[in-house]
Amino acid sequence: RSSDLRAPDPLPSGAAYLLKTSGTTQLPGIELRVQAPEELRDVTVGGQAFEAVPSVDGSRDLPVSWRAGDARDVVYVEVTGSAASGSLGLCAFRDADGRGTLPRGLFGAAGVGSLVFHRLREVAADVPSLDGAEVRFDFALTAEVSFR
């Protein structure tokens, strides 16, 4: 029955996670305790609330801001154009700064696209049976905008 098929709820931000694997005959089980970052809040684009920005002027630098977070985290902004043009660029900022600037010229030609703000946390994990391991959390906010 199709009514039983639902998209999963997003994982909660700011939560403590316990990640476990059962292991195999070649690798022992793993148990990691990690803390996810908070979701992005108070995001602004050009001084306007993120969710209320209908268009972006691509001919000038665009200031962006958010409620500053943990110094371990990175906020990156992905700019995408139409389906034909795809990703136009990406800018990364230190989360603890709470602000950055998207340079003019990043937005490409006029038209419809999107801005996606990501908060990324990477946590290295010490797992004796592996050469390296890490856990990544990437919480995102997306808004459709027109570039002019």
Side-chain angles (χ1 to χ4, degrees):
R1 291 183 1 191
S2 62
S3 62
D4 292 338
L5 302 175
R6 290 181 273 176
D9 290 332
L11 295 173
S13 64
Y17 285 86
L18 173 61
L19 307 172
K20 287 182 168 186
T21 66
S22 57
T24 68
T25 56
Q26 297 173 340
L27 288 173
I30 299 170
E31 183 173 310
L32 302 172
R33 295 179 188 280
V34 291
Q35 182 72 33
E38 293 291 333
E39 67 183 22
L40 285 160
R41 289 185 168 69
D42 304 329
V43 176
T44 67
V45 175
Q48 296 182 343
F50 177 65
E51 56 278 352
V53 175
S55 64
V56 170
D57 181 356
S59 68
R60 54 179 54 167
D61 291 347
L62 185 66
V64 294
S65 66
W66 57 91
R67 186 184 303 170
D70 194 295
R72 297 174 292 175
D73 302 336
V74 171
V75 170
Y76 67 97
V77 182
E78 181 180 7
V79 180
T80 60
S82 65
S85 61
S87 180
L88 299 175
L90 191 111
C91 290
F93 309 99
R94 290 185 299 220
D95 191 355
D97 290 347
R99 63 180 168 27
T101 302
L102 302 177
R104 69 177 177 268
L106 179 66
F107 306 103
V112 176
S114 65
L115 294 175
V116 185
F117 280 73
H118 297 261
R119 177 170 272 155
L120 175 67
R121 176 171 292 170
E122 297 175 323
V123 179
D126 183 25
V127 180
S129 58
L130 299 175
D131 292 337
E134 72 177 18
V135 177
R136 289 184 185 185
F137 293 98
D138 188 336
F139 292 99
L141 298 174
T142 303
E144 299 295 317
V145 296
S146 63
F147 303 121
R148 50 182 170 82

